[in-house]
Amino acid sequence: MYFTDRGIEELVERRGEETVTLEWLGEQLRTFVDLNPEFETPIERLATWLARDDEDEDD
């Protein structure tokens, strides 16, 4: 188990029943980076990966 798995599991346990929009998620990510600028690159990579996740389905 990766260390990040614990955070992901906590997220699912605490908020797994909620419905969120991508707009809300984008705002949360922006706020996180504003508070933690050292994570700008990983958050950018995650956001790009999420945005392009379905591009390979047609291949």
Side-chain angles (χ1 to χ4, degrees):
M1 172 185 280
Y2 293 104
F3 180 74
T4 54
D5 288 347
R6 285 187 239 155
I8 293 168
E9 288 175 3
E10 181 179 352
L11 173 64
V12 171
E13 284 178 24
R14 289 178 175 237
R15 305 193 93 154
E17 299 296 320
E18 294 179 25
T19 301
V20 299
T21 65
L22 291 177
E23 183 177 359
W24 178 87
L25 177 60
E27 288 301 318
Q28 296 300 313
L29 292 174
R30 284 185 193 96
T31 300
F32 179 82
V33 170
D34 287 347
L35 297 171
N36 304 279
E38 67 274 16
F39 289 103
E40 181 179 3
T41 299
I43 294 298
E44 177 66 23
R45 289 180 181 169
L46 173 62
T48 301
W49 181 80
L50 290 171
R52 299 176 182 172
D53 186 40
D54 60 350
E55 284 185 354
D56 294 333
E57 288 182 10
D58 294 336
D59 294 340

